[in-house]
Amino acid sequence: MAIYRSFPGTASALYELVLAGVIGWLYTELPMSIALIIPDRKLDDLQQRLQQALPDIPIEIWPELNEPAEVEFAVVWKQPHGCLNGLVNLKAIQCFGAGVDSILSDPTLPDVPISRIVDPALTDAMVSYLDGVVSYYRLRLDLFSAQQQQLLWRPKGPRKFSHITVLGLGELGSAAAQHFTRLGFHVAGWSRSSKSLPGIQCYAGEEQLHQAVASADVIICLLPLTAATESRLNTNFFQALQPQSIFINVARGAIVDDAALLAALNNGPLAAACLDVFRQEPLPQDSPLWQHPAILVTPHVSAVTNVSTVVSQIADNYQRSQQGLTLHHPVNLLKGY
Ligand code: NAP
Ligand code: GLV
């Protein structure tokens, strides 16, 4: 006390030093963990594989976290808003899918780097789904399926598809565009920035959207959902399409104005639409999209993250976040994807 009174500066400096030491010790001793925040999904497989890749790090499944302050890295998909906010030592977020719109829509999102999945297996799955859907319509399986319901035997030759346009020329869109080019289609693509891809007619920016789709028999949407793309595929867009064209949405439901889509199916120019994604998922029972005879609904299955192929990139990103390195496949928060 005497020292404190005579040399207050020295004593308080000493006190702060001891306090910093104790806090530092506490932090080095705290067993930092990884949280899997992926509601409504069985996570045993992901947890086990990640544990094998990172044997010394506790891998916990939200909401059963031992201590939220221990979480330094979170693997996230459609998190309830606010749940990341309590993770005071979070260093990075790994999105468990390719699209980050549901993560970014959280108003309480912590200010940490975010990465997303880019995986050849995911890309192959998407290309294979699109290949199947394009063949389905080309071979008129939609028509024959409807005819079967009415016991009708009416043969008809394949649709004459020659032009395909892919909206979004990123990881998935460019792979799809290249696939259909290899099959001999005339392929066009549309992106935000200009591109040059062999064999693909590339368009970019708002002013070239209508040009990009003008000759398309099939239009495939592989855009991310952002402020710029929300409801972007509206009446104006659908009216710019060719008569009898086919629309496929494998990106996000909210990019499409559903009323405009239904009008384009009912009154032209669209002949049919295949929808894998919806504004609200699961698609509500009373949605008119379920019952429409020209719509094929699939339950968001075109490219599902494959646990076995993505574990190594998640583990690697965890290590990178610990070392203060830039994550693989970082999300650009300004662009929103
Ligand atoms: P990506 O690599 O980020 O590519 C996005 C593409 O969209 C880029 O070419 C980008 O242009 C373009 N783009 C973005 N905003 C635009 C705008 N305002 N105008 C024109 N073009 C714009 O994304 P990805 O990995 O290919 O994935 C695309 C989306 O697919 C994801 O965001 C996700 O929503 C969806 N997805 C769905 C499933 C499923 O199962 N249904 C599975 C995986 C992914 P730039 O090249 O100029 O940046
Ligand atoms: C799925 O929709 C994804 O974005 O990975």
Side-chain angles (χ1 to χ4, degrees):
M1 207 42 140
I3 294 175
Y4 207 104
R5 250 187 243 115
S6 7
F7 306 103
T10 313
S12 66
L14 195 67
Y15 172 74
E16 276 166 26
L17 202 70
V18 171
L19 193 66
V22 170
I23 290 172
W25 176 80
L26 269 176
Y27 273 112
T28 47
E29 289 305 302
L30 222 58
M32 290 305 179
S33 67
I34 296 178
L36 309 181
I37 307 182
I38 309 178
D40 305 325
R41 186 177 166 138
K42 261 187 112 268
L43 294 173
D44 313 9
D45 190 28
L46 175 60
Q47 187 184 33
Q48 274 165 25
R49 287 176 191 266
L50 207 48
Q51 197 66 83
Q52 265 167 18
L54 300 166
D56 299 329
I57 313 298
I59 318 276
E60 299 181 332
I61 299 180
W62 181 89
E64 313 298 327
L65 302 180
N66 179 41
E67 170 50 64
E70 292 171 3
V71 176
E72 285 197 331
F73 189 84
V75 184
V76 178
W77 185 250
K78 292 192 177 169
Q79 81 281 11
H81 288 182
C83 81
L84 293 163
N85 212 15
L87 310 181
V88 291
N89 286 309
L90 193 66
K91 286 193 173 134
I93 294 172
Q94 167 74 58
C95 175
F96 191 59
V100 290
D101 47 287
S102 67
I103 292 181
L104 301 189
S105 66
D106 185 341
T108 66
L109 194 64
D111 182 17
V112 296
I114 302 174
S115 69
R116 71 190 191 98
I117 295 295
V118 172
D119 178 25
L122 190 87
T123 306
D124 286 351
M126 180 58 85
V127 170
S128 154
Y129 174 97
L130 291 169
D131 183 84
V133 173
V134 169
S135 295
Y136 171 86
Y137 286 114
R138 195 181 65 77
L139 299 172
R140 298 191 194 272
L141 300 187
D142 55 330
L143 174 71
F144 298 138
S145 169
Q147 285 184 187
Q148 183 178 355
Q149 302 297 318
Q150 301 168 60
L151 315 181
L152 284 176
W153 184 274
R154 284 192 194 149
K156 200 165 180 182
R159 286 188 174 98
K160 290 189 173 44
F161 289 161
S162 56
H163 287 69
I164 295 184
T165 293
V166 183
L167 306 177
L169 286 174
E171 294 291 337
L172 302 177
S174 61
Q178 278 156 9
H179 173 78
F180 289 113
T181 304
R182 281 193 294 274
L183 293 185
F185 290 94
H186 296 282
V187 179
W190 183 66
S191 54
R192 210 170 73 108
S193 56
S194 340
K195 300 209 180 305
S196 163
L197 298 172
I200 297 162
Q201 179 81 51
C202 294
Y203 296 90
E206 274 301 311
E207 62 291 349
Q208 294 194 339
L209 174 59
H210 289 188
Q211 232 179 312
V213 294
S215 337
D217 301 300
V218 178
I219 303 94
I220 295 169
C221 176
L222 267 167
L223 294 165
L225 174 60
T226 65
T229 62
E230 178 160 14
S231 298
R232 179 62 193 85
L233 306 188
N234 54 16
T235 303
N236 237 340
F237 167 79
F238 286 113
Q239 289 317 310
L241 305 182
Q242 280 217 88
Q244 293 303 303
S245 50
I246 309 283
F247 174 70
I248 303 172
N249 188 10
V250 278
R252 287 292 183 266
I255 296 171
V256 175
D257 172 345
D258 288 343
L261 170 72
L262 287 168
L265 287 166
N266 294 335
N267 314 319
L270 281 183
C274 169
L275 308 176
D276 184 51
V277 286
F278 302 88
R279 212 164 263 271
Q280 189 183 337
E281 295 181 3
L283 184 59
Q285 298 278 293
D286 62 355
S287 167
L289 302 175
W290 275 119
Q291 304 290 345
H292 198 287
I295 293 180
L296 174 64
V297 168
T298 62
H300 202 142
V301 291
S302 52
V304 177
T305 300
N306 180 332
V307 171
S308 62
T309 56
V310 299
V311 155
S312 58
Q313 70 177 270
I314 296 176
D316 200 18
N317 262 342
Y318 167 74
Q319 307 279 22
R320 294 179 75 84
S321 73
Q322 291 295 301
Q323 293 157 17
L325 298 173
T326 307
L327 304 179
H328 290 304
H329 316 303
V331 172
N332 180 325
L333 293 179
L334 288 177
K335 290 202 259 177
Y337 61 96

